[in-house]
Amino acid sequence: MWIPIAWLVVQMLVLVGQDVVPGVEASPRIPLTKSRLIELAIEMVVALDGPGLSQALLQATRTLNGPALFDDFVTPLTDELLRRRRHGDLRLAHEQFAMGYLRRFVGDLLSTKSVRSMGATVLVCAPAHSLHEIGALASAVTANRDGWQVVYLGVGLPADEIAFVAERRHARAVIVSLAGSGDDSRVESELLSLRNRLNTELPIIGVGVDVERQRDALRSIGARSAATQAEFAGELAQLANPAAANE
């Protein structure tokens, strides 16, 4: 019996999960390595290939999930893009192009409703002078996935505005994403201002790539810290069940 070649090709693509964008080898059955995922995304950024970058980001969700998606893919990809930008290997246009797609990618993850719901609220933002939004979005996604009601406020918000929302929404904790600031002293001042405006019992958790640099400042205001999304998930678990953490 004669079978059309086109039909066979379609069936083979279905079997292997081949993406529709040429050159993007995405398959739920043949996952890529972490390094290859990052390389592939960077190739698409260099080429300014929006559909290709979208498919590369989608492939990452097929290979990684939970905090690993951010700790092993989004964060190192962002770091590598910014490194190449600083060294002149990428232009500002490449950076803006990549961050636009990453922002939408992580934002779409945030819009996915968690199957679990604790009912308690956490506020997630990047305070004034901390300007990179991807880390803040990642923290919001992690909290949402773990069943928290997330109030996401974006980047560059002054301490008095953060405190206003925390009180209005009866937040259980304030999560501050720390990344992208070139002036540590201004961030330290903003953290102190935030602590002074919040209820003294309300926990602050600092998350992000600048946490290590700000660890002393965070400790001075009694804040917890998490350098990775995996550590942040642990902090959230402790916040949800403090009795178990003390056992």
Side-chain angles (χ1 to χ4, degrees), residues 15 32 49 80 89 122 124 141 153 164 167 173 179 191 193 196 220:
L15 284 173
L32 302 181
D49 183 343
E80 179 61 17
D89 299 323
V122 292
V124 180
V141 171
L153 296 177
F164 165 76
E167 181 179 4
L191 289 172
S193 178
N196 290 336
S220 71

Side-chain angles (χ1 to χ4, degrees), residues 216-228:
D216 289 342
L218 290 166
R219 188 179 295 114
S220 71
I221 62 171
R224 307 175 188 179
S225 60
T228 67

Side-chain angles (χ1 to χ4, degrees), residues 121-138:
T121 297
V122 292
L123 187 159
V124 180
C125 64
H129 315 300
S130 192
L131 302 178
H132 285 174
E133 188 174 11
I134 305 303
L137 278 168

Side-chain angles (χ1 to χ4, degrees), residues 133-149:
E133 188 174 11
I134 305 303
L137 278 168
S139 298
V141 171
T142 297
N144 177 66
R145 180 184 58 85
D146 286 351
W148 295 86
Q149 298 293 320

